[in-house]
Amino acid sequence: MASVLVADDEKLILSVLKKVLGTRQHEVIAVESGQAALDVLRQRNIDLLLADVDMRPMDGLDLLKQVRALYPKLPVVMMTAFGTVSTAISTMTLGAFDYITKPIKIEELIDVIEHALSAAR
């Protein structure tokens, strides 16, 4: 069982992801901001971070930069409803393991997360 931290400022997305990932036997911690995600990371070991690019006040790219500086080996998967090539390139350049677009295809999400967790082991 892996611990997955999900950071998204949309409560509905958090709820759905918590259910979906919970059925895969993952422990899911859901937070509504980048700062809350950093707080959780400081308090406990997390196996994977799934974060939205478009959050306020700290956006997902700023979160990714801080996570890379503090936890360089933590796999991070970014997600966004506004998928552009430049956003994808930015997330990968900053060290994201992968990047998925909303609306999220559940099978794709599960595949990406399982692949990221396997690679981290």
Side-chain angles (χ1 to χ4, degrees), residues 20-85:
V20 168
L21 296 175
T23 65
R24 303 292 298 182
Q25 307 305 313
H26 295 307
E27 176 191 13
V28 182
I29 301 102
V31 296
E32 295 181 25
S33 72
Q35 186 57 56
L38 289 172
D39 293 343
V40 170
L41 289 168
R42 286 185 185 103
Q43 295 169 8
R44 56 176 300 176
N45 287 330
I46 296 295
D47 297 309
L48 181 133
L49 170 62
L50 176 62
D52 189 24
V53 170
D54 189 33
M55 291 187 290
R56 299 289 174 253
M58 178 193 303
D59 72 16
L61 296 178
D62 287 337
L63 172 61
L64 178 57
K65 288 175 194 172
Q66 291 190 46
V67 168
R68 275 295 140 255
L70 298 167
Y71 311 97
K73 294 186 189 280
L74 178 68
V76 179
V77 176
M78 301 301 293
M79 55 186 172
T80 185
F82 309 103
T84 64
V85 172

